[in-house]
Amino acid sequence: MNKKSKTNTRGKNKGERKSNKSSYLARSAEFLHFQIWHPLGALYKRYGEAVVAQRGRALRTKVDSIIDQGFWKWPRQRNRFIMEIIRETPIDFFPNPSSSDKVVWTLTKDGIFTAKSAWEACRHRNAFQPWHTLVWFGQAVPRWSFIAWIAILGRLSTKDRLVSWGMEVSPQCSLCQNGVESHTHLFFECCFLLRFGGKF
């Protein structure tokens, strides 16, 4: 009699667990291994295939698979990765079925998307150049700063570059008619510009 009663109780609890599990799944269906739902971040990114293989679950497993009646139901395995996840789970961190999912931009502290944070994430940063304050400063005219920047990088469309691109133009300097027009010639050798620049 006691055994039968015990069995019925188990069956009832099992049905209740299934109902609670479905209720949570309707509100939240994060991927267990790939999405950032735990303070440790994405588990797959941190532990790789090891944590998936040890738990014996598919890559598309949802977070609700480790939830039972509103509490965490961690797998009973002596695996160091699983033990670390359990150890790093805060005491006050538990499932909240009443809250709905929301998109969080992980590149900002408040979780809100900004164009600046996206640009900073995808841009390639180089070392600061010693001449950057000569080109970019508070009262600079953007057009002049851009031309100066291109000149310092050696990217002005001088005649020597036009010839290298296959254009049929005379490489002779248009200002002094003496020498090949290049960056070095324009800024350091051209007698016309040197005479003009000497007046300032």
Side-chain angles (χ1 to χ4, degrees):
M1 190 71 173
N2 293 335
K3 290 183 178 180
K4 189 177 293 186
S5 177
K6 190 175 183 181
T7 304
N8 293 336
T9 304
R10 287 181 178 179
K12 185 178 180 181
N13 291 338
K14 186 177 181 181
E16 290 176 355
R17 292 177 185 177
K18 185 176 182 181
S19 176
N20 291 336
K21 182 176 178 180
S22 300
S23 177
Y24 181 82
L25 183 60
R27 293 179 173 85
S28 180
E30 299 95 337
F31 288 107
L32 177 64
H33 303 294
F34 294 104
Q35 291 185 274
I36 303 176
W37 61 272
H38 194 276
L40 291 176
L43 301 182
Y44 188 86
K45 184 177 180 180
R46 186 180 182 93
Y47 301 107
E49 293 284 352
V51 67
V52 181
Q54 289 291 337
R55 296 192 67 249
R57 296 181 180 272
L59 290 176
R60 298 181 65 84
T61 301
K62 304 296 180 64
V63 177
D64 74 306
S65 66
I66 58 170
I67 297 173
D68 184 20
Q69 296 185 352
F71 295 94
W72 298 117
K73 184 181 179 182
W74 303 106
R76 298 179 179 178
Q77 294 187 17
R78 293 291 182 178
N79 176 265
R80 62 188 182 93
F81 301 125
I82 302 298
M83 298 301 293
E84 181 178 346
I85 295 172
I86 298 174
R87 185 172 61 253
E88 295 297 329
T89 302
I91 299 176
D92 57 347
F93 180 72
F94 50 87
N96 187 7
S98 62
S99 64
S100 58
D101 292 347
K102 65 178 181 178
V103 178
V104 178
W105 184 252
T106 59
L107 299 179
T108 55
K109 293 181 178 180
D110 56 4
I112 301 175
F113 170 82
T114 61
K116 179 181 178 181
S117 63
W119 165 244
E120 292 293 342
C122 66
R123 68 178 296 192
H124 175 69
R125 282 187 171 274
N126 291 323
F128 280 102
Q129 299 296 329
W131 44 261
H132 74 279
T133 54
L134 300 176
V135 178
W136 312 109
F137 50 92
Q139 304 301 321
V141 179
R143 182 179 180 181
W144 298 351
S145 294
F146 179 77
I147 294 174
W149 177 47
I150 296 299
I152 291 175
L153 296 178
R155 294 295 186 269
L156 291 175
S157 298
T158 53
K159 288 189 174 182
D160 64 330
R161 300 192 74 208
L162 297 180
V163 172
S164 67
W165 295 340
M167 299 182 65
E168 296 181 359
V169 295
S170 173
Q172 192 175 31
C173 179
S174 302
L175 299 176
C176 67
Q177 304 297 323
N178 184 20
V180 178
E181 184 181 285
S182 63
H183 286 80
T184 303
H185 175 80
L186 283 177
F187 295 103
F188 302 104
E189 298 173 357
C190 181
C191 58
F192 177 84
L193 288 180
L194 290 176
R195 184 169 62 250
F196 178 77
K199 295 182 182 180
F200 294 93

